[in-house]
Amino acid sequence: MAMRREKSTKGAGGKAPYRHLGVTLKHGGSGRDYGQHLLKNPLVTVAMVEKAALRSTDVVCEVGPGTGNLTLKLLETVKKVVAVELDPRMVVELQKRVQGTPLAPKLQIIHGDFIKTEQPFFDVMVANIPYQISSPLVFKLLSGPPFRCAVLMVQREFALRLCAKPGDELYCRLTVNCRLLARVDHLMKVSKNSFRPPPKVDSSVVRIEPRHPKPEINFVEWDGLVRLCFGRKNKTLPAIFTTKLVLKMLEDNLKTHCALQGTPVPDMPVKDIVMQVLTAAGLEEARSSKLDIPDFLRLLAAFNAAGLHFT
């Protein structure tokens, strides 16, 4: 659908607000910011639907449907679309677009914040998500009920972080946490000019496919370890795990776990236990920025086996 910029009064920032279908889009400035950048390029919309490999029996979830350009394509393809929209004005516009059409019975609209609402059932998620909720949305998805895949439009740098490999500059805690739970593929780059209004940066479409079953680890412990590792990712592991603060935390956790299990606290200093673990694992010279998922899993298992915990 072609979009146009209507004449309107300039806002506080000196720029005329963007309008679509009579609705002023909120993307910064005073008032509530919904991060609204509507996808106007129909080729990108079609490509996202195709990349999702949808089936006619699928239930699809779309977060932030806006005025429904992507929604209509999805409704033509699948059994049902559950659209979660925070902006009440967009809810009204989306209802208007399908009202009285054969597509209307296939659309369920949930007015609310996807991050705060109970996650609905769906097979696939296809969405141009607001940039500011990218990280919490991805981890809510991966920690929630099973689904087949998600095809998401996200900020390009966020996509590159998701898809980074060990040694890459953008390899980070986000990368490792996501790859532990899912396979992530970069599908295509999308120019900022494909949106109305155009954001400041380009976007990318990624495909996230959850791992089944999920790895059997304590995710709180895992995140505690990874958070430490990527706080200083280019330092060697001994430099990270033998600082005073980290050693104090490990010692306190060791005493707590020993007390809960009714076992004596080891006589060996915690620093010596840490170095013993790293040496035995062959990681005494390793750096977090170069480690992959199996390395972090092995490191966590070795620390736990020695009685050291991160929670």
Side-chain angles (χ1 to χ4, degrees), residues 136-180:
L137 182 143
V138 167
F139 287 108
K140 178 171 182 174
L141 282 179
L142 294 178
S143 62
F147 62 98
R148 193 164 74 246
C149 74
V151 173
L152 306 177
M153 177 86 71
V154 295
Q155 189 175 20
R156 180 157 175 77
E157 183 174 318
F158 183 82
L160 295 178
R161 289 182 184 276
L162 287 179
C163 300
K165 294 180 173 56
D168 291 350
E169 183 181 352
L170 293 178
Y171 190 62
C172 61
R173 175 171 158 248
L174 170 69
T175 316
V176 172
N177 279 339
C178 190
R179 286 180 54 192
L180 173 73

Side-chain angles (χ1 to χ4, degrees), residues 45-76:
T45 301
V46 171
M48 289 182 68
V49 174
E50 290 177 348
K51 299 289 186 182
L54 298 171
R55 305 166 187 167
S56 60
T57 55
D58 280 339
V59 175
V60 173
C61 181
E62 183 186 6
V63 177
T67 54
N69 291 350
L70 176 58
T71 315
L72 294 184
K73 289 292 182 183
L74 294 171
L75 287 169
E76 294 169 359

